[in-house]
Amino acid sequence: TAAPVSGVVDQATPFLKVDATFGGMFTQCATYGRTCSCKGLVRFGGSGVWSPPLVAAGNFLCQTGAVFPDILVDDVEVCECSTSAQRLIAGQNFSIKVQAENSVGPGNFSAPSILKIMGEPSIVLTLSTMEYESNMTVLWAPPADTGFGTADPTAPIVGYHIQTSLCKDFDQLDFSCKVKKYNFLAQAVCASGSCKAGIVEKDNLIQNQVYYVRVVAYNAVADGFLSFATIVRQTWKLFPSYWYPSDELLPFGLAEYGGVSLFWIGGGGDDTADGEG
């Protein structure tokens, strides 16, 4: 039996959210970068934000990569192990009964129904950007796990959040980072296994700036995990800049445009660049 953690009943389609793990206790088995020894269930994260629990049967490194997603937490990531907890697995069937209750008391349970467990989408790994005259185009592929596990891609992705920032850490409390969030429905931007959306320049993009971009998928359950590993750097109409140190016998210059840097050395103290390097 999985205990509910939250639910909504005052709408046309009530739903219930249950914890991915139930029963047992988790204890820390390793800090980030160290080896965790666990035979049971293991989770990665911290500060109340955890990856889906995984079955562990030995030693493994507590770090992001092939095993764990890149969890964004406000503290140092750790691994926790449980030898007694059970877990709900995305894609597996789950038996549920519903019982209504009013001021008089509870009613009878409904007949059991078999439902399929849906989890949050996995990380959007394939991401690129392109600069056009009046908009920045973001391209990506849907996540490998849309909610029912990687073996079952039938869970529908509802949409995607695209975030842009002038800071790589996307600090929303720092006004200078200018973090913006754009929401796109999947059916409007995705087709045939690929997705594409445009961010118009007007009121959104500032010339001569470098933006960081990331994409997060979401389904009917929750947003997918954020990851620093999938952030893309995109310049926006960057102006060329030149630098000639006055104390050098051979002055040199640097120009950046469209994300490409050019460096050259002048000759004989002349400020005119006569070669690219």
Side-chain angles (χ1 to χ4, degrees):
T1 302
V5 295
S6 66
V8 172
V9 297
D10 55 347
Q11 63 177 28
T13 306
F15 70 87
L16 185 69
K17 182 178 181 180
V18 297
D19 200 343
T21 58
F22 52 96
M25 294 289 293
F26 279 87
T27 56
Q28 182 175 315
C29 59
T31 56
Y32 190 92
R34 295 188 175 275
T35 299
C36 170
S37 179
C38 180
K39 292 184 179 180
L41 293 182
V42 65
R43 63 185 185 182
F44 174 78
S47 303
V49 182
W50 299 99
S51 68
L54 302 174
V55 176
N59 299 329
F60 54 89
L61 280 179
C62 179
Q63 63 183 26
T64 57
V67 178
F68 299 113
D70 189 0
I71 308 298
L72 299 183
V73 299
D74 297 329
D75 204 349
V76 177
E77 296 97 334
V78 299
C79 288
E80 291 190 344
C81 174
S82 175
T83 58
S84 57
Q86 302 179 61
R87 70 166 181 164
L88 302 177
I89 303 174
Q92 74 179 173
N93 291 329
F94 189 59
S95 180
I96 186 170
K97 296 188 297 183
V98 178
Q99 180 188 49
E101 183 176 352
N102 60 18
S103 58
V104 176
N108 295 324
F109 275 102
S110 67
S113 296
I114 303 299
L115 304 177
K116 183 178 287 189
I117 300 299
M118 180 186 291
E120 62 276 296
S122 58
I123 295 170
V124 175
L125 293 176
T126 305
L127 176 63
S128 62
T129 56
M130 299 181 67
E131 176 185 320
Y132 288 98
E133 182 177 352
S134 60
N135 74 83
M136 178 192 296
T137 297
V138 184
L139 305 98
W140 69 95
D145 180 0
T146 60
F148 287 153
T150 55
D152 185 351
T154 59
I157 293 294
V158 176
Y160 294 89
H161 303 304
I162 297 179
Q163 291 182 330
T164 62
S165 173
L166 297 179
C167 306
K168 191 173 183 178
D169 60 0
F170 286 77
D171 187 352
Q172 300 191 43
L173 299 180
D174 187 346
F175 180 75
S176 64
C177 291
K178 299 187 182 299
V179 179
K180 288 191 174 184
K181 183 177 180 179
Y182 309 89
N183 185 56
F184 297 92
L185 294 177
Q187 62 183 7
V189 296
C190 299
S192 302
S194 63
C195 307
K196 180 173 69 173
I199 301 173
V200 297
E201 178 180 30
K202 184 179 180 181
D203 300 327
N204 295 315
L205 303 172
I206 303 173
Q207 290 189 14
N208 203 37
Q209 296 290 343
V210 177
Y211 286 92
Y212 296 92
V213 184
R214 65 185 180 190
V215 177
V216 180
Y218 66 94
N219 58 18
V221 173
D223 289 357
F225 287 108
L226 295 172
S227 173
F228 283 120
T230 58
I231 293 173
V232 171
R233 178 181 180 273
Q234 173 65 57
T235 59
W236 183 252
K237 298 184 177 180
L238 199 63
F239 302 145
S241 59
Y242 306 93
W243 181 40
Y244 297 95
S246 58
D247 58 347
E248 295 289 338
L249 295 177
L250 296 176
F252 56 89
L254 175 68
E256 293 190 14
Y257 188 75
V260 177
S261 298
L262 300 176
F263 173 79
W264 66 88
I265 299 176
D270 186 356
D271 284 348
T272 302
D274 53 24
E276 284 188 7

